[in-house]
Coordinates of all heavy atoms in Angstrom, one line a residue:
A85 N -3.4 8.3 51.0 CA -2.5 8.9 52.0 C -2.6 10.4 51.9 O -2.8 10.9 50.8 CB -1.0 8.5 51.7
T86 N -2.7 11.1 53.0 CA -2.9 12.5 53.0 C -1.6 13.3 53.2 O -0.6 12.7 53.8 CB -3.9 13.0 54.0 OG1 -3.4 12.6 55.3 CG2 -5.3 12.3 53.8
L87 N -1.6 14.5 52.9 CA -0.4 15.4 53.1 C 0.0 15.4 54.6 O 1.2 15.2 54.9 CB -0.8 16.8 52.5 CG 0.2 18.0 52.8 CD1 1.6 17.6 52.2 CD2 -0.4 19.2 52.2
P88 N -1.0 15.7 55.5 CA -0.5 15.7 56.9 C 0.0 14.3 57.4 O 1.0 14.3 58.2 CB -1.8 16.0 57.7 CG -2.9 15.7 56.8 CD -2.4 16.0 55.4
L89 N -0.5 13.3 56.8 CA 0.0 11.9 57.3 C 1.5 11.7 56.8 O 2.3 11.3 57.6 CB -0.9 10.8 56.6 CG -0.6 9.4 57.1 CD1 -1.0 9.3 58.5 CD2 -1.3 8.4 56.2
K90 N 1.8 12.2 55.6 CA 3.1 12.0 55.1 C 4.1 12.9 55.9 O 5.2 12.5 56.1 CB 3.2 12.5 53.6 CG 2.4 11.6 52.6 CD 2.7 10.1 52.7 CE 4.1 9.8 52.2 NZ 4.4 8.3 52.4
L91 N 3.6 14.1 56.3 CA 4.5 15.0 57.0 C 4.6 14.5 58.5 O 5.7 14.6 59.1 CB 3.9 16.4 57.0 CG 4.0 17.2 55.7 CD1 3.2 18.5 55.6 CD2 5.5 17.5 55.3
K92 N 3.6 13.9 59.0 CA 3.7 13.3 60.3 C 4.7 12.2 60.3 O 5.5 12.1 61.3 CB 2.3 12.7 60.7 CG 2.1 12.4 62.1 CD 0.6 12.1 62.4 CE 0.4 11.5 63.8 NZ -1.0 11.8 64.2
Q93 N 4.7 11.4 59.3 CA 5.7 10.3 59.2 C 7.1 10.9 59.1 O 8.1 10.2 59.5 CB 5.4 9.4 57.9 CG 4.2 8.6 58.1 CD 3.7 8.0 56.7 OE1 4.3 8.2 55.7 NE2 2.7 7.2 56.7
A94 N 7.2 12.1 58.6 CA 8.5 12.7 58.4 C 8.9 13.4 59.7 O 10.0 14.1 59.8 CB 8.6 13.7 57.3
G95 N 8.1 13.4 60.8 CA 8.5 13.9 62.1 C 7.8 15.2 62.4 O 8.2 15.9 63.3
Y96 N 6.8 15.7 61.6 CA 6.2 16.9 61.9 C 5.0 16.8 62.9 O 4.4 15.8 63.0 CB 5.5 17.5 60.6 CG 6.5 18.3 59.7 CD1 7.5 17.6 59.0 CD2 6.4 19.6 59.6 CE1 8.4 18.3 58.2 CE2 7.3 20.4 58.8 CZ 8.3 19.7 58.1 OH 9.1 20.4 57.4
T98 N 1.4 18.1 63.3 CA 0.4 18.5 62.3 C -0.9 19.0 62.9 O -1.5 18.3 63.7 CB 0.1 17.3 61.4 OG1 -0.4 16.2 62.1 CG2 1.3 16.8 60.6
G317 N 11.2 16.7 54.0 CA 12.1 15.5 54.1 C 11.3 14.2 54.2 O 11.8 13.2 54.7
G318 N 10.1 14.2 53.6 CA 9.3 13.0 53.6 C 9.6 12.1 52.4 O 10.4 12.5 51.6
T319 N 8.9 11.0 52.3 CA 9.2 10.1 51.2 C 7.9 10.0 50.3 O 6.8 10.0 50.8 CB 9.5 8.7 51.6 OG1 8.5 8.3 52.6 CG2 10.9 8.6 52.3
E321 N 6.3 7.5 47.8 CA 6.4 6.2 47.2 C 5.7 6.1 45.9 O 4.8 6.9 45.6 CB 5.8 5.1 48.1 CG 6.4 5.0 49.5 CD 5.8 6.0 50.5 OE1 4.9 6.8 50.1 OE2 6.4 6.1 51.6

Side-chain angles (χ1 to χ4, degrees):
T86 62
L87 175 58
L89 189 68
K90 297 306 291 175
L91 289 169
K92 196 172 170 152
Q93 288 167 0
Y96 275 73
T98 57
T319 51
E321 302 83 4

